[in-house]
Amino acid sequence: MYKSLVDRLYCLIISCLLFSLHALAQQQATDYQFIRKISLPGDGKWDYLKMDGERERLFVSHGDRVHVVDLKTDQAIGEITSLSGVHGIGLAKDLNKGYITNGTTNAITIFDYNTFKVLQTLMVPGKKADAVLYDKFSGQIFVFNNGSGNAVVIDAKTDKVVGTVEMGGAPEFACTNDKGSIFNNNEDTNEVIEIDAKTRTIKNRFSLAPSEVATGLTIDPATNRLFSVCRKTKTLVVLDATSGKIIQTLPIGGGVDGVVFDKELKRVITSNGEGNVTVVQQDSPDSYRVVQTLITKPGQKTIVHRGATHHLYLSGAEYKEGTRDILPGTFGVSVYGLTAKQ
């Protein structure tokens, strides 16, 4: 009996030690740092990136083209060209199609996901087509027109426009809860707008006040939390996606445009155009704290992350000293990854 008790105590001590070491390793691996740069041709402006972690591909918007990068080699494997003021990229992977918004012509370029060949150019009503989102739940593409305050809905199987949603203001980033609700940030009205994907009508308007100029938006479906970043007030706003109640507001860097959520690390990460990234830890659905300010490059305002590696990808180019003029031949995607604290 005595031996059995000692054995049990020994096993308990070893288990506690292993758990503590595992927890310590997780706690130490908290800082991101620059890893490498993926250089890409061209000197145009940039906006959204789109990650496909399953097929290990990264889609990079770049003025008059979209680069396709193989993440196994960090080499470009394709390019979709003859575009006009590219903003967003949406992927309907189950249909082997992709959708690109051309902001200056309000055309949607539809391409074959496997060959990257253009299948169709679809004109949509509105002005300055910006964010584009594929909602697999409803089988629809949502195009958000930043310049005309409306969303255009496309049937992803037929590629026909099936409706519009009048939102007002200036729609920005969007996300889906994969259960029938589409959420969109509005930078003019300072609110998150919830759209019913089935009826294509506005279901809710959630105020972000006193935060202003909402840009990036993402969601944690597991905790039903929305994360909205606001450029003017330099804030990250956490909302309950059902009630719209503001849970917490945190300070972030200036010039923010994008935000992502790493569901495994439970981190909200904002890309700030002034030249940094704000990393926020989710301790619980109602508790958040800033754990790192990562120095990046001015102009790196949009971001995606890869769940398998937890790497962050931000696009941008160097500027001529003292200006916002692009330095030719410097465009690319910077990759940032986790490293243990020293």
Side-chain angles (χ1 to χ4, degrees):
M1 180 177 178
Y2 175 74
K3 186 177 179 181
S4 175
L5 179 60
V6 171
D7 288 343
R8 280 186 290 178
L9 286 172
Y10 177 78
C11 290
L12 180 61
I13 291 170
I14 294 299
S15 297
C16 289
L17 180 60
L18 290 173
F19 178 81
S20 298
L21 289 173
H22 178 68
L24 180 62
Q26 282 191 318
Q27 185 179 15
Q28 287 180 330
T30 55
D31 280 354
Y32 295 90
Q33 70 173 7
F34 176 78
I35 297 177
R36 61 186 176 273
K37 178 182 177 181
I38 303 170
S39 295
L40 295 168
D43 301 317
K45 294 182 180 180
W46 54 92
D47 203 349
Y48 298 84
L49 303 114
K50 184 65 178 179
M51 173 65 67
D52 179 359
E54 293 176 345
R55 300 191 195 181
E56 299 183 280
R57 290 175 177 176
L58 176 66
F59 293 78
V60 185
S61 67
H62 195 195
D64 61 355
R65 69 195 76 179
V66 168
H67 308 280
V68 187
V69 177
D70 183 342
L71 295 177
K72 296 187 293 291
T73 62
D74 282 350
Q75 298 296 313
I77 57 171
E79 200 171 80
I80 302 150
T81 59
S82 300
L83 307 176
S84 181
V86 175
H87 285 287
I89 305 148
L91 301 176
K93 293 187 290 182
D94 56 324
L95 300 174
N96 284 310
K97 290 190 289 187
Y99 297 78
I100 300 168
T101 56
N102 295 270
T104 57
T105 61
N106 241 63
I108 308 303
T109 299
I110 306 170
F111 66 93
D112 184 293
Y113 187 89
N114 296 312
T115 65
F116 313 127
K117 291 182 178 179
V118 174
L119 300 173
Q120 183 181 349
T121 299
L122 177 67
M123 301 302 298
V124 296
K127 184 179 180 182
K128 194 184 176 186
D130 193 354
V132 57
L133 172 74
Y134 173 56
D135 178 46
K136 189 175 181 179
F137 179 87
S138 65
Q140 298 177 133
I141 302 293
F142 288 79
V143 176
F144 295 90
N145 293 314
N146 182 267
S148 55
N150 67 317
V152 177
V153 188
I154 301 167
D155 184 314
K157 289 185 178 179
T158 64
D159 291 328
K160 303 293 184 183
V161 173
V162 292
T164 59
V165 183
E166 296 302 322
M167 305 166 67
E172 269 282 342
F173 282 63
C175 62
T176 173
N177 67 356
D178 296 317
K179 296 177 181 179
S181 284
I182 309 298
F183 299 93
N184 181 261
N185 256 353
N186 196 301
E187 63 179 342
D188 275 3
T189 63
N190 305 315
E191 60 188 355
V192 174
I193 298 174
E194 180 183 4
I195 298 171
D196 185 307
K198 185 177 180 180
T199 63
R200 306 176 197 124
T201 58
I202 293 176
K203 187 175 180 179
N204 285 300
R205 290 180 178 267
F206 301 139
S207 174
L208 295 166
S211 293
E212 295 182 295
V213 187
T215 56
L217 182 70
T218 191
I219 190 171
D220 174 16
T223 62
N224 199 40
R225 294 293 179 260
L226 288 164
F227 307 108
S228 171
V229 290
C230 298
R231 184 176 298 155
K232 184 176 180 179
T233 48
K234 301 180 184 179
T235 49
L236 164 68
V237 184
V238 183
L239 303 94
D240 183 303
T242 300
S243 66
K245 176 186 176 183
I246 293 177
I247 303 299
Q248 192 174 342
T249 301
L250 298 100
I252 60 174
V256 67
D257 204 21
V259 59
V260 295
F261 180 72
D262 188 317
K263 64 181 181 181
E264 290 185 5
L265 297 179
K266 297 190 180 301
R267 288 179 174 173
V268 189
I269 305 158
T270 76
S271 51
N272 313 316
E274 69 179 10
N276 56 60
V277 158
T278 304
V279 183
V280 174
Q281 186 68 49
Q282 180 191 66
D283 294 321
S284 76
D286 296 340
S287 180
Y288 301 80
R289 57 191 167 90
V290 176
V291 294
Q292 185 187 358
T293 300
L294 168 69
I295 302 303
T296 56
K297 297 274 189 181
Q300 290 186 336
K301 62 177 185 171
T302 53
I303 183 173
V304 291
H305 84 294
R306 186 178 173 194
T309 62
H310 305 295
H311 286 172
L312 309 176
Y313 296 80
L314 292 91
S315 59
E318 302 286 340
Y319 292 119
K320 294 179 181 177
E321 189 174 354
T323 73
R324 280 287 177 171
D325 296 330
I326 297 170
L327 195 62
T330 63
F331 180 76
V333 177
S334 294
V335 186
Y336 300 85
L338 286 170
T339 179
K341 284 185 175 180
Q342 301 298 319

